[in-house]
Amino acid sequence: MDTSDRPARLAVGVLGAGRVGSVLGAALRLAGHRVVAASGVSDMSRRQAADRLGVGLSRPEEVIRQAELVLLTVPDDVLPELVAGLAATGADLRGKLLVHASGAYGLAVLDPAAEMGAVPLALHPVMTFTGRDDDLTKLNGCSFGVTAPLMLRPVAEALVIEMGGEPVWIAEQDRALYHAALAGAANHMITLIAESQELLSKIGVEHPGRMLGPLLGAALDNVLRLGIGGLTGPVVRGDAGTVRKHVDALILAAPEAADAYVALARLTADRALAAGLLKPEAAERLLDALGGNIWT
């Protein structure tokens, strides 16, 4: 990228110095920007601000006053209220880059601040942060879902690259679906694997993670390389009897998991049928085993 597209060194403020805010602020700091202030309400925010950002906690209005780029890194449900509050209090937002890191929201959530002269950007790192020391290294090569006004795309791109990431442009109207895709894959995968570990523990498997690790690694590699073509298992084979045994066993051992299994098996069968991996007659047998309609 032409170095003329790089933003000038900026005074950075962080509203919400938790797991995400402290990581993004630290990444900008490493890129040569100055973190000048941060706000937060928890003990963790205080520690992260001191350790990662090199600042103490300040009131939000003081963060706004000192900063040229303000990171709004608060939970999704808090973001609209925060932006509306900043606008309502008459904070001087003129010319300030206002950057949120929410996956679900685009630029519209920043409209109240933009009307007050703020410059809006949505930069969402496609990564999970746990508050551990290795969080910052996770940004290297990480995709960012970026929504920005056309004229600000070079600025958004430069900021993401400076943090070690790769910008991927997401249209405003697609933000909710974009975030649903990410959350469905990452969050629900954790739930499914934790459930599998618990079921294996119930039947006496001492190290369920050790058993699942190679299988899950291979499955993840298959789907990332081959898409639905990497599907294996009883559903794609049309093994209705096996699927029925799974459902019956889950109803006895973990009824709440049985409902999830049936829903996912139907979705799997539907995708396999559409891809030509599952024959219609085998799909009908699965339909009976699952006790519902898989056709869409």
Side-chain angles (χ1 to χ4, degrees):
M1 184 181 67
D2 189 329
T3 56
S4 64
D5 287 336
R6 292 167 61 93
R9 302 302 88 187
L10 298 167
V12 177
V14 182
L15 293 182
R19 296 175 182 178
V20 178
S22 64
V23 169
L24 298 186
L28 290 170
R29 188 183 183 196
L30 284 175
H33 300 284
R34 295 179 299 113
V35 177
V36 294
S39 71
V41 296
S42 67
D43 290 340
M44 184 186 74
S45 294
R46 189 176 303 277
R47 290 194 303 271
Q48 301 284 34
D51 296 345
R52 291 179 171 178
L53 305 179
V55 297
L57 294 183
S58 305
R59 295 177 63 82
E61 55 267 30
E62 183 62 19
V63 177
I64 295 292
R65 187 188 69 79
Q66 293 190 51
E68 298 165 308
L69 184 158
V70 182
L71 292 174
L72 305 181
T73 43
V74 297
D76 286 359
D77 286 351
V78 178
L79 183 59
E81 180 183 350
L82 173 62
V83 176
L86 292 175
T89 58
D92 187 4
L93 300 173
R94 292 172 298 177
K96 294 182 186 289
L97 284 167
L98 214 57
V99 180
H100 78 69
S102 166
Y105 287 106
L107 298 180
V109 71
L110 299 175
D111 281 350
E115 291 171 3
M116 304 289 290
V119 181
L121 294 176
L123 309 180
H124 172 245
V126 184
M127 182 51 62
T128 178
F129 302 108
T130 62
R132 296 167 61 90
D133 292 340
D134 63 349
D135 277 350
L136 189 55
T137 62
K138 293 178 180 178
L139 288 179
N140 294 328
C142 167
S143 293
F144 277 66
V146 180
T147 304
L150 185 60
M151 65 183 297
L152 291 177
R153 278 195 168 197
V155 174
E157 182 179 38
L159 288 171
V160 169
I161 291 173
E162 285 187 330
M163 287 187 282
E166 178 183 345
V168 179
W169 306 105
I170 307 296
E172 176 78 12
Q173 67 271 18
D174 294 332
R175 292 292 293 202
L177 188 57
Y178 151 80
H179 196 235
L182 299 178
N187 303 157
H188 297 166
M189 177 185 69
I190 290 175
T191 302
L192 287 170
I193 294 171
E195 183 70 24
S196 294
Q197 288 179 304
E198 185 174 326
L199 291 171
L200 290 170
S201 294
K202 281 183 177 180
I203 62 170
V205 175
E206 189 173 352
H207 300 292
R210 189 181 302 171
M211 176 179 282
L212 288 168
L215 171 66
L216 297 176
L220 180 60
D221 179 68
N222 284 344
V223 69
L224 292 178
R225 287 188 301 109
L226 305 171
I228 195 66
L231 183 64
T232 62
V235 171
V236 73
R237 291 195 300 265
D239 291 340
T242 298
V243 169
R244 186 66 244 178
K245 287 181 180 179
H246 292 175
V247 175
D248 291 342
L250 286 169
I251 288 172
L252 293 175
E256 67 285 353
D259 291 339
Y261 180 96
V262 168
L264 287 171
R266 288 175 180 165
L267 179 59
T268 301
D270 189 61
R271 295 293 302 270
L273 186 63
L277 302 174
L278 182 65
K279 295 183 182 300
E281 56 271 22
E284 289 292 349
R285 291 193 298 271
L286 285 168
L287 168 64
D288 292 336
L290 293 168
N293 198 337
I294 64 171
W295 300 91
T296 61

